[in-house]
Structure formats: C-alpha cells, structure tokens
Amino acid sequence: MKAIKKFSKEFKLKAIEMSNKSDSIKEVAISLGIREPLLYRWRKEFYQKEGEVFTGSGVPSTIQDVETEELRRLRKENRDLKLERDILKKRR
C-alpha cells in the first residue's frame, strides 16, 4: 500500500504557475515528480475557488467547515457521556 504524499500550498501554487508558463502540463508534472491528473485537479481547484484554495491540514476554510467540525466534536462528546452514564447505571 502506497503512502499518501502531502504537498504544501506553496508547492501546489508553484506547480500551477509553472504549468501556466509551460506549453506542456505533462512535462511540468514529470519535472515535479507528480502525476499529470493531479496537476490538472490542482489547477481546476485553483481557478474555481479563487483564494480559499489548498487549506489542507484539517484547517477549516469556511464557516460551514467550522460548524461541521464543531458538530463532529459535540457528537463525539455526546457518545462519550452516554457511555459514562451507562457504566454508572450498571454500577448501582
């Protein structure tokens, strides 16, 4: 099983810049050691999102992401509390 490579935001932006200046995206991808479809995906994301791009590392980029993360945390806390409650009920 291959390990997933993680690329920095700076690397992705540099790759996009290089691909814009080059005649061949394939050559840019090869020179950077990445797959061509990956570079196309980065370019697509860059042009669609304009600014809020490549946030990565679990850093929420929008309010909706922050709310989703909070909801996930609260659900986990709720499960943990229910488990504690059930354990305490059995002890009585």
XYZ file of all heavy atoms in Angstrom:
772
model
N 0.843 -1.179 0.000
C 0.000 0.000 0.000
C 0.888 1.242 0.000
O 1.787 1.376 0.812
C -0.885 -0.042 1.238
C -1.859 1.054 1.312
S -2.924 0.758 2.743
C -4.111 1.989 2.481
N 0.596 2.168 -0.899
C 1.400 3.382 -1.018
C 0.994 4.394 0.041
O -0.175 4.532 0.374
C 1.209 4.017 -2.388
C 1.891 3.289 -3.503
C 1.794 4.090 -4.770
C 2.556 3.431 -5.884
N 2.506 4.230 -7.109
N 1.984 5.109 0.531
C 1.713 6.199 1.454
C 1.223 7.401 0.654
O 1.678 7.646 -0.464
C 2.971 6.565 2.222
N 0.317 8.148 1.226
C -0.216 9.327 0.557
C 0.769 10.474 0.749
O 1.151 10.793 1.868
C -1.594 9.702 1.126
C -2.589 8.588 0.839
C -2.071 11.026 0.542
C -3.942 8.808 1.458
N 1.172 11.078 -0.360
C 2.076 12.220 -0.293
C 1.255 13.476 -0.045
O 0.187 13.646 -0.617
C 2.850 12.375 -1.596
C 3.848 11.292 -1.850
C 4.609 11.587 -3.130
C 5.593 10.496 -3.441
N 6.319 10.747 -4.686
N 1.776 14.333 0.802
C 1.126 15.609 1.063
C 2.033 16.713 0.545
O 3.227 16.717 0.811
C 0.863 15.783 2.551
C -0.128 14.767 3.072
C -0.517 15.052 4.480
C -1.525 14.004 4.924
N -2.085 14.290 6.206
N 1.439 17.630 -0.192
C 2.190 18.723 -0.783
C 1.755 20.032 -0.133
O 0.576 20.238 0.142
C 1.944 18.789 -2.293
C 2.379 17.549 -3.023
C 1.467 16.551 -3.325
C 3.704 17.374 -3.386
C 1.861 15.402 -3.988
C 4.109 16.227 -4.055
C 3.187 15.234 -4.353
N 2.706 20.914 0.077
C 2.402 22.203 0.692
C 1.632 23.088 -0.289
O 1.664 22.887 -1.511
C 3.690 22.902 1.108
O 4.424 23.306 -0.035
N 0.976 24.072 0.278
C 0.242 25.032 -0.534
C 1.195 25.747 -1.490
O 0.872 25.964 -2.661
C -0.453 26.042 0.379
C -1.234 27.104 -0.347
C -1.930 28.036 0.622
C -2.744 29.075 -0.114
N -3.512 29.917 0.804
N 2.382 26.079 -0.996
C 3.363 26.784 -1.822
C 3.787 25.934 -3.017
O 3.927 26.440 -4.128
C 4.594 27.157 -0.982
C 4.322 28.197 0.085
C 3.615 27.650 1.315
O 3.700 26.429 1.577
O 2.954 28.437 2.001
N 3.980 24.634 -2.774
C 4.368 23.729 -3.860
C 3.276 23.677 -4.926
O 3.554 23.755 -6.123
C 4.637 22.322 -3.307
C 5.040 21.327 -4.360
C 6.354 21.233 -4.775
C 4.102 20.476 -4.938
C 6.731 20.317 -5.742
C 4.461 19.561 -5.905
C 5.790 19.480 -6.319
N 2.028 23.568 -4.492
C 0.911 23.486 -5.433
C 0.791 24.770 -6.254
O 0.596 24.724 -7.472
C -0.390 23.211 -4.679
C -0.436 21.842 -4.041
C -1.693 21.667 -3.210
C -1.716 20.338 -2.507
N -2.932 20.163 -1.706
N 0.918 25.909 -5.564
C 0.818 27.178 -6.278
C 1.961 27.353 -7.269
O 1.757 27.851 -8.379
C 0.781 28.344 -5.279
C -0.476 28.421 -4.417
C -0.336 29.501 -3.356
C -1.719 28.639 -5.261
N 3.150 26.929 -6.889
C 4.305 26.996 -7.795
C 4.090 26.082 -9.008
O 4.394 26.451 -10.142
C 5.577 26.606 -7.044
C 6.832 26.801 -7.828
C 7.115 28.261 -8.064
C 8.452 28.443 -8.749
N 8.685 29.809 -9.149
N 3.537 24.893 -8.761
C 3.254 23.959 -9.855
C 2.246 24.556 -10.832
O 2.406 24.441 -12.054
C 2.738 22.635 -9.295
N 1.225 25.214 -10.304
C 0.222 25.854 -11.168
C 0.859 26.978 -11.974
O 0.617 27.109 -13.173
C -0.960 26.375 -10.319
C -1.733 25.194 -9.737
C -1.872 27.270 -11.139
C -2.736 25.573 -8.677
N 1.689 27.760 -11.314
C 2.380 28.851 -12.010
C 3.261 28.307 -13.132
O 3.254 28.834 -14.246
C 3.229 29.629 -11.008
C 3.963 30.806 -11.598
C 4.837 31.502 -10.568
O 4.509 31.462 -9.382
O 5.847 32.082 -10.993
N 4.001 27.240 -12.841
C 4.852 26.634 -13.864
C 4.023 26.099 -15.027
O 4.399 26.234 -16.187
C 5.685 25.501 -13.249
C 6.788 25.974 -12.332
S 7.630 24.621 -11.497
C 8.374 23.765 -12.885
N 2.875 25.486 -14.709
C 2.037 24.915 -15.768
C 1.433 26.007 -16.648
O 1.181 25.790 -17.831
C 0.942 24.031 -15.175
O -0.029 24.808 -14.498
N 1.201 27.181 -16.064
C 0.675 28.298 -16.850
C 1.710 28.841 -17.830
O 1.367 29.300 -18.913
C 0.200 29.426 -15.933
C -1.073 29.070 -15.204
O -1.832 28.212 -15.639
N -1.292 29.708 -14.077
N 2.973 28.782 -17.438
C 4.054 29.316 -18.274
C 4.538 28.316 -19.317
O 5.149 28.698 -20.297
C 5.234 29.734 -17.397
C 4.925 30.913 -16.511
C 6.101 31.262 -15.643
C 5.788 32.426 -14.729
N 6.915 32.739 -13.839
N 4.261 27.048 -19.103
C 4.773 25.997 -19.979
C 3.765 25.648 -21.078
O 2.559 25.835 -20.924
C 5.060 24.748 -19.146
O 5.467 23.685 -19.978
N 4.278 25.104 -22.158
C 3.421 24.628 -23.243
C 2.862 23.246 -22.939
O 1.844 22.854 -23.498
C 4.206 24.571 -24.563
C 4.576 25.952 -25.058
O 3.848 26.917 -24.729
O 5.592 26.081 -25.772
N 3.529 22.501 -22.060
C 3.127 21.129 -21.787
C 2.959 20.884 -20.291
O 3.931 20.914 -19.531
C 4.165 20.150 -22.345
O 3.867 18.836 -21.939
N 1.728 20.654 -19.881
C 1.456 20.344 -18.474
C 2.090 19.004 -18.111
O 2.573 18.822 -16.994
C -0.058 20.348 -18.206
C -0.578 21.780 -18.336
C -0.381 19.789 -16.835
C -2.048 21.947 -18.139
N 2.117 18.106 -19.065
C 2.707 16.787 -18.818
C 4.184 16.922 -18.432
O 4.650 16.271 -17.497
C 2.562 15.904 -20.059
C 3.070 14.506 -19.865
C 2.800 13.652 -21.090
C 3.233 12.221 -20.844
N 2.858 11.336 -21.940
N 4.911 17.776 -19.139
C 6.333 17.979 -18.843
C 6.529 18.589 -17.452
O 7.459 18.225 -16.732
C 6.976 18.865 -19.904
C 7.130 18.193 -21.248
C 7.690 19.134 -22.300
O 8.112 20.261 -21.964
O 7.684 18.727 -23.476
N 5.661 19.517 -17.094
C 5.746 20.135 -15.770
C 5.516 19.080 -14.694
O 6.255 19.003 -13.710
C 4.731 21.291 -15.624
C 4.700 21.816 -14.198
C 5.055 22.409 -16.601
N 4.488 18.256 -14.886
C 4.182 17.206 -13.914
C 5.362 16.252 -13.755
O 5.747 15.897 -12.627
C 2.929 16.445 -14.333
N 5.950 15.837 -14.865
C 7.091 14.923 -14.823
C 8.270 15.579 -14.102
O 8.914 14.954 -13.256
C 7.485 14.472 -16.246
C 6.401 13.559 -16.813
C 8.828 13.764 -16.236
C 6.556 13.251 -18.295
N 8.535 16.837 -14.404
C 9.672 17.525 -13.774
C 9.476 17.689 -12.270
O 10.443 17.716 -11.514
C 9.911 18.883 -14.427
O 8.876 19.782 -14.099
N 8.227 17.780 -11.832
C 7.942 17.922 -10.402
C 7.771 16.576 -9.697
O 7.658 16.529 -8.474
C 6.675 18.765 -10.205
C 6.777 20.227 -10.630
C 5.416 20.891 -10.557
C 7.780 20.964 -9.756
N 7.703 15.510 -10.475
C 7.539 14.182 -9.884
C 6.135 13.892 -9.408
O 5.934 13.168 -8.438
N 5.152 14.490 -10.081
C 3.749 14.238 -9.739
C 3.020 13.718 -10.970
O 3.511 13.815 -12.091
C 3.053 15.511 -9.208
C 3.069 16.631 -10.252
C 3.680 15.955 -7.897
C 2.302 17.866 -9.840
N 1.813 13.185 -10.736
C 1.016 12.688 -11.850
C 0.311 13.854 -12.551
O -0.082 14.827 -11.908
C -0.014 11.683 -11.363
C 0.591 10.417 -10.774
C -0.437 9.438 -10.225
N -1.263 10.070 -9.187
C -2.561 10.346 -9.317
N -3.218 10.014 -10.398
N -3.230 10.926 -8.338
N 0.158 13.739 -13.830
C -0.483 14.788 -14.632
C -1.913 15.085 -14.165
O -2.279 16.259 -14.012
C -0.448 14.389 -16.104
C -0.907 15.457 -17.049
C -0.813 15.009 -18.504
O -0.321 13.900 -18.799
O -1.249 15.800 -19.345
N -2.749 14.046 -13.898
C -4.119 14.339 -13.440
C -4.157 15.126 -12.123
O -5.061 15.923 -11.902
C -4.749 12.959 -13.260
C -3.936 12.049 -14.104
C -2.551 12.610 -14.111
N -3.157 14.920 -11.267
C -3.096 15.657 -10.014
C -2.888 17.145 -10.284
O -3.547 18.004 -9.675
C -1.970 15.103 -9.130
C -1.787 15.751 -7.763
C -3.048 15.594 -6.920
C -0.599 15.122 -7.054
N -2.014 17.458 -11.201
C -1.770 18.860 -11.552
C -3.021 19.490 -12.168
O -3.371 20.629 -11.848
C -0.578 18.971 -12.511
C -0.148 20.379 -12.912
C 0.071 21.273 -11.703
C 1.105 20.316 -13.773
N -3.708 18.743 -13.009
C -4.962 19.246 -13.577
C -5.987 19.515 -12.473
O -6.718 20.509 -12.514
C -5.547 18.262 -14.593
C -4.961 18.413 -15.977
C -4.114 17.446 -16.497
C -5.256 19.520 -16.766
C -3.575 17.575 -17.772
C -4.728 19.665 -18.040
C -3.886 18.690 -18.537
O -3.354 18.839 -19.790
N -6.063 18.640 -11.464
C -7.006 18.818 -10.361
C -6.665 20.072 -9.557
O -7.542 20.844 -9.189
C -7.019 17.589 -9.455
C -8.130 17.659 -8.408
C -8.246 16.413 -7.602
N -7.082 16.321 -6.729
C -6.565 15.192 -6.291
N -7.080 14.052 -6.633
N -5.512 15.202 -5.497
N -5.369 20.286 -9.293
C -4.946 21.482 -8.568
C -5.314 22.744 -9.341
O -5.789 23.722 -8.762
C -3.447 21.456 -8.312
C -2.984 20.427 -7.336
C -3.751 19.683 -6.486
C -1.635 20.007 -7.115
N -2.956 18.845 -5.747
C -1.655 19.020 -6.103
C -0.412 20.371 -7.662
C -0.503 18.406 -5.645
C 0.730 19.763 -7.207
C 0.695 18.795 -6.202
N -5.085 22.705 -10.651
C -5.418 23.863 -11.482
C -6.920 24.139 -11.446
O -7.345 25.286 -11.303
C -4.970 23.629 -12.925
C -3.467 23.708 -13.123
C -3.062 23.210 -14.511
N -3.849 23.790 -15.586
C -3.424 24.773 -16.384
N -2.216 25.259 -16.243
N -4.192 25.233 -17.341
N -7.727 23.105 -11.572
C -9.177 23.250 -11.558
C -9.636 23.861 -10.235
O -10.431 24.799 -10.208
C -9.840 21.887 -11.781
C -11.345 21.932 -11.778
C -11.912 20.549 -12.008
C -13.422 20.550 -11.934
N -13.985 19.204 -12.057
N -9.118 23.328 -9.120
C -9.487 23.845 -7.808
C -9.055 25.305 -7.660
O -9.799 26.130 -7.137
C -8.849 22.994 -6.708
C -9.258 23.389 -5.316
C -8.681 22.483 -4.252
O -8.245 21.366 -4.564
O -8.668 22.921 -3.088
N -7.873 25.616 -8.127
C -7.349 26.979 -8.032
C -8.243 27.965 -8.771
O -8.587 29.022 -8.252
C -5.926 27.028 -8.590
C -5.311 28.398 -8.575
C -4.814 28.927 -7.401
C -5.235 29.151 -9.738
C -4.245 30.197 -7.384
C -4.662 30.413 -9.732
C -4.170 30.938 -8.547
N -8.640 27.638 -9.995
C -9.436 28.555 -10.793
C -10.898 28.608 -10.349
O -11.565 29.619 -10.537
C -9.332 28.209 -12.281
C -7.949 28.480 -12.808
C -7.146 27.455 -13.291
C -7.417 29.760 -12.784
C -5.861 27.697 -13.757
C -6.133 30.020 -13.236
C -5.367 28.980 -13.725
O -4.097 29.235 -14.169
N -11.405 27.550 -9.742
C -12.785 27.562 -9.283
C -12.947 28.310 -7.961
O -13.922 29.012 -7.760
C -13.319 26.137 -9.111
C -13.642 25.459 -10.407
C -14.144 24.041 -10.205
O -14.006 23.469 -9.139
N -14.722 23.475 -11.240
N -11.989 28.141 -7.050
C -12.155 28.703 -5.706
C -11.554 30.091 -5.531
O -11.943 30.808 -4.618
C -11.569 27.747 -4.669
C -12.350 26.456 -4.593
C -11.901 25.609 -3.451
C -12.725 24.328 -3.396
N -12.290 23.456 -2.343
N -10.594 30.464 -6.330
C -10.008 31.808 -6.300
C -9.744 32.343 -4.892
O -10.441 33.191 -4.391
C -10.916 32.800 -7.022
C -11.100 32.515 -8.479
C -12.034 33.519 -9.130
O -12.398 34.520 -8.493
O -12.414 33.269 -10.274
N -8.754 31.863 -4.227
C -8.381 32.419 -2.933
C -8.417 31.403 -1.808
O -7.411 31.138 -1.197
N -9.580 30.862 -1.499
C -9.705 29.859 -0.443
C -9.337 28.499 -1.021
O -10.165 27.608 -1.145
C -11.134 29.830 0.108
C -11.490 31.034 0.927
C -10.660 31.162 2.192
O -10.365 30.129 2.826
O -10.299 32.289 2.543
N -8.083 28.350 -1.343
C -7.644 27.147 -2.037
C -6.515 26.493 -1.261
O -5.706 27.166 -0.636
C -7.236 27.503 -3.485
C -6.044 28.403 -3.515
C -6.985 26.277 -4.322
N -6.485 25.177 -1.266
C -5.429 24.367 -0.651
C -5.249 24.671 0.834
O -4.150 24.887 1.306
C -4.087 24.555 -1.371
C -4.145 24.414 -2.855
C -3.580 25.367 -3.680
C -4.761 23.322 -3.434
C -3.627 25.233 -5.054
C -4.817 23.173 -4.808
C -4.247 24.133 -5.619
N -6.335 24.675 1.578
C -6.211 24.940 3.008
C -5.590 23.758 3.733
O -4.774 23.946 4.610
C -7.573 25.276 3.622
O -8.471 24.222 3.344
C -8.094 26.588 3.096
N -5.983 22.541 3.380
C -5.378 21.316 3.892
C -5.163 21.255 5.387
O -5.593 22.105 6.130
N -4.523 20.229 5.850
C -4.144 20.003 7.241
C -5.300 20.115 8.220
O -5.101 20.464 9.372
C -3.036 20.971 7.657
O -1.914 20.791 6.847
N -6.504 19.861 7.752
C -7.648 19.889 8.647
C -8.038 21.286 9.097
O -8.818 21.449 10.009
N -7.506 22.306 8.476
C -7.827 23.679 8.850
C -9.113 24.074 8.138
O -9.158 24.093 6.915
C -6.694 24.653 8.449
C -7.076 26.078 8.781
C -5.407 24.254 9.120
N -10.166 24.366 8.881
C -11.423 24.738 8.239
C -11.265 26.024 7.432
O -10.627 26.968 7.884
C -12.379 24.967 9.413
C -11.763 24.240 10.555
C -10.287 24.285 10.327
N -11.834 26.044 6.241
C -11.675 27.199 5.370
C -12.902 28.089 5.327
O -12.831 29.214 4.894
C -11.325 26.748 3.956
O -12.367 25.974 3.439
N -14.040 27.591 5.775
C -15.255 28.393 5.744
C -16.013 28.204 7.051
O -15.715 27.308 7.843
C -16.183 27.970 4.586
O -16.618 26.629 4.822
C -15.485 28.059 3.249
N -17.007 29.043 7.260
C -17.828 28.929 8.464
C -18.540 27.582 8.496
O -18.654 26.957 9.544
C -18.837 30.093 8.532
C -18.075 31.390 8.800
C -19.891 29.856 9.590
C -18.915 32.628 8.856
N -18.990 27.117 7.346
C -19.664 25.822 7.293
C -18.721 24.713 7.761
O -19.132 23.816 8.491
C -20.168 25.533 5.889
C -20.955 24.233 5.812
C -21.499 23.967 4.413
O -21.223 24.722 3.487
N -22.257 22.920 4.277
N -17.457 24.794 7.375
C -16.483 23.796 7.818
C -16.283 23.864 9.322
O -16.141 22.844 9.988
C -15.141 23.991 7.114
C -15.187 23.645 5.637
O -16.140 22.930 5.233
O -14.298 24.076 4.899
N -16.259 25.068 9.870
C -16.104 25.240 11.314
C -17.295 24.625 12.036
O -17.138 23.910 13.030
C -15.964 26.739 11.677
C -16.013 26.945 13.181
C -14.689 27.306 11.094
N -18.493 24.875 11.528
C -19.694 24.320 12.143
C -19.721 22.799 12.031
O -20.120 22.107 12.966
C -20.941 24.920 11.494
C -21.135 26.378 11.841
C -22.274 27.021 11.082
O -22.776 26.417 10.103
O -22.659 28.133 11.465
N -19.290 22.274 10.910
C -19.236 20.824 10.728
C -18.267 20.198 11.722
O -18.559 19.164 12.322
C -18.814 20.480 9.281
O -19.742 21.052 8.380
C -18.750 18.989 9.067
N -17.122 20.835 11.902
C -16.128 20.331 12.852
C -16.667 20.383 14.281
O -16.472 19.459 15.068
C -14.830 21.132 12.732
C -13.683 20.552 13.487
C -13.310 19.152 13.036
O -13.377 18.852 11.837
O -12.956 18.336 13.920
N -17.355 21.453 14.635
C -17.951 21.581 15.965
C -19.022 20.511 16.182
O -19.099 19.904 17.246
C -18.541 22.986 16.133
C -19.252 23.212 17.450
C -18.313 23.304 18.634
O -17.085 23.243 18.449
O -18.818 23.436 19.763
N -19.845 20.275 15.180
C -20.879 19.247 15.273
C -20.250 17.874 15.475
O -20.710 17.082 16.310
C -21.740 19.247 14.010
C -22.891 18.244 13.957
C -23.853 18.451 15.114
C -23.616 18.351 12.626
N -19.184 17.576 14.767
C -18.471 16.308 14.910
C -17.943 16.150 16.342
O -18.075 15.118 16.967
C -17.338 16.230 13.892
C -16.606 14.915 13.891
C -15.528 14.850 12.822
N -16.126 14.925 11.484
C -15.848 15.858 10.578
N -14.972 16.798 10.839
N -16.430 15.855 9.399
N -17.357 17.237 16.867
C -16.800 17.209 18.221
C -17.909 16.988 19.256
O -17.768 16.187 20.182
C -16.070 18.514 18.512
C -15.364 18.519 19.868
C -14.838 19.883 20.222
N -15.886 20.868 20.465
C -16.631 20.931 21.577
N -16.457 20.055 22.534
N -17.551 21.867 21.714
N -19.036 17.682 19.087
C -20.142 17.551 20.030
C -20.774 16.154 19.991
O -21.162 15.614 21.035
C -21.196 18.619 19.755
C -20.777 20.042 20.102
C -21.806 21.034 19.580
C -20.570 20.208 21.591
N -20.877 15.585 18.809
C -21.414 14.226 18.715
C -20.513 13.222 19.423
O -20.991 12.317 20.103
C -21.600 13.833 17.256
C -22.794 14.491 16.632
C -22.978 14.087 15.197
N -24.209 14.657 14.666
C -24.481 14.787 13.396
N -23.605 14.392 12.492
N -25.611 15.309 13.004
N -19.203 13.385 19.283
C -18.267 12.500 19.962
C -18.392 12.661 21.471
O -18.444 11.692 22.221
C -16.830 12.778 19.531
C -15.828 11.848 20.199
C -14.419 12.216 19.869
C -13.390 11.305 20.470
N -13.532 10.991 21.856
N -18.474 13.902 21.926
C -18.629 14.168 23.355
C -19.923 13.550 23.872
O -19.955 12.965 24.961
C -18.627 15.671 23.600
C -18.711 16.058 25.061
C -18.670 17.559 25.266
O -18.242 18.294 24.358
O -19.073 17.989 26.360
N -20.989 13.651 23.092
C -22.280 13.079 23.475
C -22.183 11.556 23.613
O -22.692 10.978 24.580
C -23.346 13.468 22.443
C -24.746 13.168 22.920
O -24.995 13.074 24.101
N -25.670 13.036 21.973
N -21.523 10.901 22.659
C -21.339 9.442 22.747
C -20.569 9.062 23.997
O -20.928 8.121 24.710
C -20.592 8.930 21.513
C -21.424 8.712 20.293
C -20.670 7.928 19.224
N -19.333 8.439 18.955
C -19.023 9.351 18.037
N -19.984 9.874 17.294
N -17.787 9.729 17.844
N -19.509 9.816 24.280
C -18.686 9.529 25.455
C -19.484 9.690 26.744
O -19.384 8.868 27.663
C -17.454 10.440 25.491
C -16.482 10.147 24.363
O -16.604 9.069 23.731
O -15.603 10.999 24.095
N -20.288 10.753 26.814
C -21.095 10.979 28.018
C -22.156 9.901 28.204
O -22.423 9.467 29.331
C -21.736 12.363 27.963
C -20.771 13.536 28.117
C -21.491 14.853 27.824
C -20.142 13.552 29.495
N -22.775 9.472 27.109
C -23.762 8.388 27.202
C -23.107 7.108 27.687
O -23.685 6.373 28.501
C -24.435 8.151 25.848
C -25.459 9.199 25.494
C -26.076 8.906 24.141
C -27.128 9.931 23.787
N -27.745 9.673 22.483
N -21.918 6.827 27.208
C -21.190 5.641 27.642
C -20.879 5.720 29.138
O -21.094 4.756 29.875
C -19.898 5.488 26.837
C -19.042 4.275 27.160
C -19.803 2.984 26.875
C -17.746 4.312 26.372
N -20.417 6.872 29.601
C -20.149 7.054 31.028
C -21.420 6.864 31.844
O -21.408 6.216 32.899
C -19.581 8.448 31.293
C -18.154 8.619 30.876
C -17.652 10.023 31.175
O -18.046 10.603 32.213
O -16.862 10.534 30.367
N -22.516 7.449 31.389
C -23.797 7.322 32.080
C -24.211 5.859 32.188
O -24.618 5.382 33.255
C -24.871 8.115 31.336
C -26.241 8.029 32.009
C -27.360 8.379 31.087
N -27.409 7.371 30.016
C -28.002 7.552 28.851
N -28.580 8.686 28.574
N -28.010 6.598 27.936
N -24.102 5.114 31.085
C -24.498 3.700 31.086
C -23.629 2.883 32.042
O -24.128 1.986 32.732
C -24.411 3.126 29.665
C -25.476 3.718 28.747
O -26.453 4.335 29.248
O -25.314 3.592 27.518
N -22.353 3.203 32.096
C -21.450 2.497 33.020
C -21.849 2.776 34.456
O -21.917 1.870 35.293
C -19.989 2.904 32.748
C -19.519 2.345 31.411
C -19.073 2.424 33.891
C -18.168 2.842 30.943
N -22.152 4.030 34.754
C -22.564 4.397 36.115
C -23.908 3.756 36.493
O -24.119 3.360 37.637
C -22.630 5.907 36.273
C -21.284 6.615 36.257
C -21.483 8.127 36.233
C -20.441 6.211 37.449
N -24.825 3.626 35.551
C -26.113 2.980 35.821
C -25.910 1.511 36.203
O -26.587 0.995 37.086
C -27.021 3.051 34.583
C -27.778 4.330 34.437
C -28.694 4.216 33.235
C -29.546 5.419 33.050
N -30.439 5.313 31.877
N -24.999 0.841 35.525
C -24.757 -0.577 35.787
C -24.134 -0.798 37.168
O -24.301 -1.855 37.747
C -23.857 -1.165 34.710
C -24.572 -1.307 33.382
C -23.656 -1.892 32.336
C -24.375 -1.994 31.011
N -23.523 -2.529 29.944
N -23.413 0.178 37.680
C -22.767 0.046 38.970
C -23.766 0.090 40.113
O -23.506 -0.403 41.191
C -21.733 1.152 39.183
C -20.473 0.940 38.413
C -19.496 1.984 38.796
N -18.173 1.650 38.293
C -17.117 2.408 38.443
N -17.224 3.542 39.100
N -15.965 2.034 37.956
N -24.890 0.686 39.952
C -25.882 0.834 41.025
C -26.554 -0.439 41.333
O -26.825 -1.363 40.967
C -26.929 1.864 40.642
C -26.344 3.252 40.620
C -27.441 4.225 40.329
N -26.861 5.536 40.096
C -27.565 6.629 40.114
N -28.839 6.594 40.342
N -27.002 7.772 39.876
